Structures are given as C-alpha cells and as structure tokens.
Amino acid sequence: MRTIDLRGRELSPADMLAVVPRATQARAEALDTAARLVDDVRDRGEDALREQAERFDRVTGHAVRVPEAHLAEALSDLAPTVRASLEEAIRRVRLASAAQVPAPQVTRIGEGATITQRWQPVARVGVYIPGGKAVYPSSVVMNVVPAQVAGVQQIALASPPQADQDGRVHPTILAAAALLGVSEVYAMGGAGAIGALAHGVASLGLDPVDVVSGPGNNYVASAKRAVAGVVGTDSEAGATEILVVADAEADPRLIAADLVSQAEHDEQASAVLVTDALEIAEQVRAEVEQQAARTRHSERVRAALSGPQSAIVLVDDRATAAAFSNAYAPEHLELHLADAEEAAAAFTSAGAVFVGDQTPVSLGDYMAGSNHVLPTGGQARYAPGLGAYTFLRPQQVVSYDRSALAVVREGVVALAETEVLPAHGEAIEARFTA
C-alpha cells in the first residue's frame, strides 16, 4: 500500500478532494464501455444480451428467462445452515427497513386547506445481483427486502449466467430469490443487464422497470449513470471501498483483517487507512502483508491493495482525519478509535459508519440489519445507501375548499400578474365569477 503523507500541510476542501486516492482512469473507461453495452441492448434486445453473455460470461444457448422450476429446485437443495442464515438476515433487514418508511403527514395550512405528504411505492423494480468473482445471496436480501417493505408489487431480478452451472444463475442466488417469493429472474449480467431492466426486452417478456438497484463493479455502476433519466436508480454502488480511521490505541491486526476482507472483492476494491499514529501505520502495513499472503484470494487482494485507489494516509490530528474522511466519503467507514462513539458525530460523509473495533464491515455485509448496497466513488457526500426510501416517491396532495381558496385569491392573482402569467390569475377568478 502506498503512503500519502499529509502531515504539516494546510489543505483547503478543494485540496483535500484532490488528494483522495481514486482509480479515476478505470471509472472513466468503464463509463464509456457501459454506455455502449446499454445502448446495444436497447437497440437489439435479446440478441445483444446473448452476445454479451458469450463474450463476458462464456455462456451460449442458455435460458435467459429463468424457469420457475429452477428456482424451486435451488431452494429445495439449499443447505439448511445457509437457509437459516438467510432467513435471519431477512428478518434483521426487514426490521431496519421498516423504520425507513415515513407515515403520511397532514399539515393544516388554514381552515379548509391541507397538504398531505404521502410516500408512494414505484410499481416495478429491477434488482441486479453480481455473480463474477463471488456469489452474493446477501445482495438478494439487501435489494429485495427494502423493495417489499416499501410496497413494491413487481420485482425482477437479474444475475449473470454461470459457465460452470450450464448457463444458469448460481443456485444460491436462485434459492435466495425463491425464499423471498421473487419468481421473475433473468440470467444476464453486467452493464447489459442494467440496460435490459431499464429498457425492457420484449422477446423475454421483460417489461421496463421504474427503478434499478443493486451493487456491481464499475461497469454496473456506470451503466446506472447511462440509464439515469430513463429510470430511477439507487446510488452507483461500484467497486467496494473501506476507509479505516485509527488512533494509537487501535489493534493493527484487526485493521489489517478488515482492509483485506474488502480487498478480496475485486482488484478494483479500495482500502484506505487514515491515522495520526505512525507506529500504527507501520504495524498495519506489516500485518496486511502477512494476512494478504495467506488469504485464499491473495492475488486479488494484492492487486487491490497495490492499486492507486488504496493507501495509508498520515495526518497530524483527528480533525484532519475527519476532514479527509468526509472528503473521501467512503462506502464503508470504520472508526477504530478509543472514543469511537463520541467521535462518530464528526464523520458525516459515508455510506455506512461502523463504530468501534467490534463492528467490522463484514457484519454489515450480512447480519447487522443495515443495508450493504452503498454509494461509492465519493457519492456518499450527497447520496444515501439503498433503503426502503429508494423505492418510494414523496407526493404532495393538496386540498382547498372554496373558502380557503378565497383567502389567498388576491395573493395568487397579484403574483401571477407580477410574473406576467395572467391566465394563472384568471383560473382563480373563474371560481368566483358566474
């Protein structure tokens, strides 16, 4: 891991943004490629999807629309321990998601005048579940449960066909979908799958969705940007990120374990340590080397940790650590600080904050009850992670009776005249003239 030394430097907010480690070239290339793949699916439908499956997944002749029998078979074959774990994860995520659905609120503006704020679910959602270097039944839970809690009636799920499964979606993904009652499943992956969900594919009976959600690599995240405006999207949950802020009392072994745990996702994964304790930085570097060498996906981990997106950042003090973290706006933020509970308030920009060294990101990936589909690439400065609210549309319902309208009659007419829109005022006056 490279070192970024910010000690002794006075950095403006713009300077801080400029020094955060990002794999910007990879993201730029992904956006261009993803847009072409999405457009190809929009224009040529199933033919484009099959060509992309052959090119990227090494699969031909598969059933793109998954037969329901495959779902039932996968669920019946699911190991009891995995099923029990998924059921517990579902319970926890359902509890946390329910807190994200606002109750309707009625505001009485005056006698006979009310504004009701209500939150309506979208009708149809497409969720994407990655399937390249790992299998993610947990992502099925994280996407489907909040949509169900929000009240979405139709959910279509897409995941890449697997060459070692005769072109089927991985059976554990199918089992998780079946466990949640999702029967509309498609064996399609990457940017093309996002395009298919957004634009629909008539030959497959796939109708366009209203919102696309789900994690993936940088190509999947970029594909969401390509379809934005055609459909709603969650945040661009691309290649994973972890930023750990540590003080002199932190345990370097645990920090290294958490950095390695996220680096094993993908060669593009980002792992960053920020500390004002030079000794901790050196100890973590040594621990990372040892742990990376013995983990199963050692080569992948080393590639991620040696990339431009990963670093150890040295700072003078806690305030600079917080400023750097807020500029970086990581997907996952871990606080390995002696006063982590109190310190958390200063760290305002992150997809999810994990407080204390007994709350690792791995917990959030599976069983915390929080959602693991989170913004990457700095978007946590302005975008939330996935939740029930992703699938809800706030609406204002306005109700005035004649008396209430009379109270504001003169004011509306005056403002309409000021804006040189006299017909607006005339529409009011029409209600008070024969």
Side-chain angles (χ1 to χ4, degrees):
M1 297 175 71
R2 66 189 176 111
T3 298
I4 299 174
D5 194 344
L6 302 183
R7 293 173 298 177
R9 298 174 61 182
E10 292 287 338
L11 297 176
S12 70
D15 293 334
M16 196 71 81
L17 282 171
V19 299
V20 298
R22 303 272 191 218
T24 53
Q25 183 61 34
R27 288 180 62 84
E29 292 172 357
L31 182 59
D32 183 60
T33 300
R36 291 199 303 270
L37 294 171
V38 166
D39 288 348
D40 194 26
V41 171
R42 178 199 62 199
D43 297 338
R44 299 195 302 119
E46 185 178 350
D47 289 342
L49 285 172
R50 291 192 177 279
E51 288 176 14
Q52 290 176 25
E54 182 175 7
R55 176 182 172 189
F56 299 116
D57 304 308
R58 305 182 309 283
V59 168
T60 60
H62 64 298
V64 180
R65 177 79 179 247
V66 175
E68 291 195 33
H70 291 184
L71 291 154
E73 177 187 334
L75 184 56
S76 68
D77 291 344
L78 187 64
T81 54
V82 177
R83 179 168 183 156
S85 298
L86 285 172
E87 288 173 340
E88 178 61 11
I90 289 167
R91 185 187 73 82
R92 290 170 177 254
V93 174
R94 201 175 294 281
L95 278 174
S97 298
Q100 298 166 343
V101 180
Q105 298 290 331
V106 178
T107 303
R108 193 166 301 281
I109 306 298
E111 187 65 33
T114 62
I115 306 291
T116 299
Q117 312 289 341
R118 69 179 185 184
W119 285 262
Q120 295 283 91
V122 298
R124 182 167 166 78
V125 163
V127 301
Y128 182 76
I129 310 301
K133 295 181 173 66
V135 182
Y136 296 102
S138 58
S139 288
V140 179
V141 175
M142 299 294 174
N143 281 269
V144 172
V145 170
Q148 291 177 335
V149 168
V152 175
Q153 296 300 305
Q154 296 181 28
I155 299 174
L157 185 150
S159 190
Q162 302 296 303
D164 60 358
Q165 299 288 336
D166 295 325
R168 294 189 183 190
V169 170
H170 194 282
T172 311
I173 301 298
L174 295 180
L179 197 59
L180 285 161
V182 176
S183 59
E184 187 182 350
V185 180
Y186 299 89
M188 55 189 189
I194 302 300
L197 292 169
H199 295 288
V201 181
S203 66
L204 299 173
L206 171 55
D207 293 325
V209 301
D210 300 311
V211 170
V212 173
S213 71
N217 58 22
N218 285 340
Y219 294 96
V220 171
S222 295
K224 290 182 186 177
R225 188 174 298 186
V227 301
V230 177
V231 293
T233 66
D234 62 343
S235 58
E236 294 176 18
T240 193
E241 301 167 347
I242 179 173
L243 186 148
V244 178
V245 178
D247 60 18
E249 297 181 43
D251 185 333
R253 181 179 59 87
L254 296 181
I255 294 171
D258 293 349
L259 294 174
V260 169
S261 76
Q262 294 306 295
E264 78 171 338
H265 274 285
D266 190 273
E267 290 86 352
Q268 298 176 15
S270 301
V272 178
L273 168 65
V274 181
T275 184
D276 58 1
L278 181 59
E279 184 178 0
I280 287 294
E282 293 171 346
Q283 291 172 343
V284 168
R285 189 187 304 279
E287 278 285 344
V288 164
E289 284 294 323
Q290 295 174 26
Q291 294 186 31
R294 63 176 182 259
T295 193
R296 177 178 178 180
H297 300 298
S298 178
E299 186 175 340
R300 188 187 307 164
V301 169
R302 288 184 181 279
L305 295 176
S306 63
Q309 72 273 19
S310 298
I312 294 175
V313 181
L314 301 175
V315 296
D316 287 316
D317 50 36
R318 175 75 61 78
T320 308
F324 181 90
S325 176
N326 290 336
Y328 185 101
E331 177 188 22
H332 307 106
L333 169 63
E334 286 189 0
L335 300 179
H336 289 237
L337 304 170
D339 60 341
E341 291 282 352
E342 295 76 17
F347 294 85
T348 56
S349 295
V353 182
F354 297 82
V355 180
D357 65 5
Q358 299 305 301
T359 316
V361 169
S362 297
L363 173 66
D365 283 340
Y366 299 112
M367 285 287 186
S370 57
N371 204 293
H372 78 200
V373 183
L374 300 166
T376 60
Q379 293 188 74
R381 287 190 296 121
Y382 53 84
L386 186 68
Y389 43 73
T390 304
F391 309 107
L392 294 169
R393 298 159 293 153
Q395 293 177 332
Q396 300 177 83
V397 181
V398 184
S399 177
Y400 271 57
D401 63 20
R402 181 180 177 83
S403 296
L405 181 60
V407 171
V408 296
R409 172 185 177 184
E410 183 177 342
V412 173
V413 171
L415 290 173
E417 291 292 343
T418 296
E419 296 190 351
V420 197
L421 297 171
H424 283 60
E426 290 161 6
I428 300 296
E429 292 296 339
R431 283 153 173 82
F432 297 95
T433 58

